[in-house]
Amino acid sequence: MICLGIESTAHTFGIALMQDKKELSSATDTFTTEQGGMNPPIVAEHHKKVKDALLKKVLEDAKVTLEEIDLVSFSKGPGLAPCLHVGKNLAIELAEKTKAPLIGVNHICAHLEIGRLITNTKDPVFVFVSGANTQIIAHEGGRYRVFGETLSIGLGNALDKFGRIAGLGFPAGPKIEELAQNGKLIELPYVVKGMDVDFAGIITKAEQLLKKGAKIEDLCYSLQETCFAMLAEVTERAVAHCDKKEVILIGGVAANKRFCEMLDSMCKARNCKFHPVPLKYCGDNPVMIAWQGILEYNYNKRQEDLKTLEINPKWRIDELDAGWF
Ligand code: AMP
Ligand code: MG
């Protein structure tokens, strides 16, 4: 079965072709800006501009024609509504052209499933840390459940916020990682509440210390050590509670080597195995949407009604039946 998957939840627009477990082609174009952050209508305009060229490229690279497509899948949510609409409209257009069934998939679930496929893990604890999201997830009792999550902003956005204040540019994560190599520990608020974490107070405190003259290297080092330790603690408890033997880290913050190192040593101490996911599949990508479409279609042959199809910008991972697992 050949599935064409479309990703358009936020900054990245992408299209991929998967034939069962094999990636045939993929192409993405990511919105960037020198000033400010993401303005959803402007990002949606970017997606509209790049979509036709990306479609042409993935078909040509895979030497596949539209007639050969058996299934179309797209990100139905969660995400920015104007961006989701661009993906939805293209998906409907292609489903009509190809007469293939159409499936709208959950973007977070797609992150988890591509992680499982690429690392060849069966039933891991998922540490999902992107710009907007921070959740510790595991599959229990027939569905994905969130065992811990941020009570305010996602860690990536928190690091980016500090970066904006400190003039590090966007995205700030890589720059913070670099500066942290020459830093020393300053105490910052360590906020774990039950299984949840909160990064807002830490960023405020780091901001205050920066204004009082603390060294940027020390703040970067301390932000990393504190935030990653909070997440390692919650992950450790999820591993123990669910009795899992594998941990995978996904989302853009997974690029951070120190974070991988901390999770790896926690796993070793628990007789569990840590699996980093290659960067190409950590962040937003269309391959995961195509794979999720195949998984779901093989599971229940469900397809969307093109006339009533809606996006779901606030769709949570724990709302869906993950019976294909
Ligand atoms: P995503 O939303 O999954 O595309 O991830 C983007 C986020 O990952 C941004 O907030 C980045 O600052 C963050 N990020 C990227 N590279 C790193 C890194 N090396 N260390 C920490 N955060 C990072
Ligand atoms: Mg994402």
Side-chain angles (χ1 to χ4, degrees):
M1 170 185 287
I2 297 182
C3 178
L4 180 146
I6 303 167
E7 163 57 28
S8 75
T9 53
H11 44 48
T12 298
F13 191 88
I15 306 179
L17 288 169
M18 279 287 265
Q19 182 164 31
D20 304 313
K21 289 185 177 177
K22 186 168 164 231
E23 180 181 331
L24 299 180
S25 61
S26 82
T28 58
D29 196 309
T30 298
F31 169 84
T32 51
T33 175
E34 301 281 310
Q35 289 159 353
M38 278 194 280
N39 179 339
I42 294 174
V43 183
E45 279 311 311
H46 161 268
H47 294 354
K48 281 183 208 158
K49 250 185 240 145
V50 301
K51 69 182 171 45
D52 294 333
L54 293 179
L55 176 63
K56 188 162 173 273
K57 179 168 174 27
V58 289
L59 293 171
E60 278 174 10
D61 286 355
K63 299 191 175 56
V64 165
T65 62
L66 274 184
E67 293 70 48
E68 289 172 282
I69 289 166
D70 304 301
L71 179 67
V72 177
S73 62
F74 76 104
S75 276
K76 202 168 161 170
L80 304 170
C83 300
L84 291 169
H85 277 296
V86 182
K88 182 191 98 169
N89 292 340
L90 179 62
I92 292 179
E93 183 189 320
L94 293 177
E96 281 171 344
K97 261 192 201 149
T98 58
K99 310 256 181 317
L102 175 68
I103 296 196
V105 304
N106 181 289
H107 168 91
I108 296 186
C109 191
H111 268 297
L112 308 186
E113 292 297 351
I114 199 72
R116 219 155 58 95
L117 179 73
I118 298 288
T119 58
N120 204 15
T121 47
K122 278 209 167 61
D123 188 10
V125 166
F126 300 89
V127 183
F128 176 43
V129 190
S130 65
N133 295 287
T134 297
Q135 293 181 319
I136 311 298
I137 303 167
H139 192 271
E140 286 285 299
R143 55 176 58 225
Y144 280 116
R145 296 179 196 272
V146 177
F147 282 86
E149 65 190 309
T150 175
L151 297 171
S152 54
I153 49 178
L155 180 53
N157 285 356
L159 295 175
D160 292 337
K161 185 172 173 208
F162 175 76
R164 212 161 42 236
I165 296 156
L168 302 180
F170 172 87
K175 190 78 198 170
I176 290 174
E177 178 169 18
E178 196 189 313
L179 289 166
Q181 284 170 5
N182 299 310
K184 286 199 290 293
L185 193 68
I186 305 176
E187 198 179 327
L188 292 173
Y190 182 98
V191 190
V192 175
K193 296 178 182 168
M195 286 293 280
D196 294 325
V197 292
D198 194 342
F199 303 113
I202 304 173
I203 300 301
T204 307
K205 181 72 186 179
E207 214 183 306
Q208 288 165 354
L209 291 170
L210 183 71
K211 284 190 186 131
K212 282 190 195 149
K215 273 174 70 184
I216 183 78
E217 289 86 354
D218 294 346
L219 289 170
C220 290
Y221 177 77
S222 310
L223 274 175
Q224 287 202 165
E225 294 301 303
T226 310
C227 298
F228 296 161
M230 285 160 49
L231 289 171
E233 179 192 329
V234 176
T235 306
E236 181 170 19
R237 274 192 272 139
V239 166
H241 176 78
C242 305
D243 197 21
K244 305 280 190 206
K245 300 288 175 237
E246 303 159 319
V247 171
I248 71 176
L249 174 60
I250 42 194
V253 184
N256 191 292
K257 292 198 183 61
R258 176 65 183 140
F259 193 17
C260 292
E261 198 179 282
M262 271 197 201
L263 288 173
D264 189 45
S265 57
M266 180 278 285
C267 285
K268 282 200 175 104
R270 284 219 141 258
N271 226 351
C272 173
K273 180 121 179 55
F274 173 68
H275 298 262
V277 176
L279 275 188
K280 176 179 172 190
Y281 302 103
C282 271
D284 291 352
N285 68 85
V287 179
M288 69 185 195
I289 304 303
W291 173 234
Q292 185 65 28
I294 291 174
L295 267 181
E296 293 196 25
Y297 193 72
N298 284 341
Y299 166 59
N300 61 9
K301 307 277 184 260
R302 172 181 73 86
Q303 48 183 296
E304 305 279 358
D305 177 348
L306 299 192
K307 290 197 190 69
T308 56
L309 179 60
E310 275 307 330
I311 55 163
N312 195 348
K314 300 229 178 288
W315 198 6
R316 278 183 63 93
I317 180 86
D318 39 16
E319 289 168 20
L320 56 114
D321 159 27
W324 60 81
F325 188 90

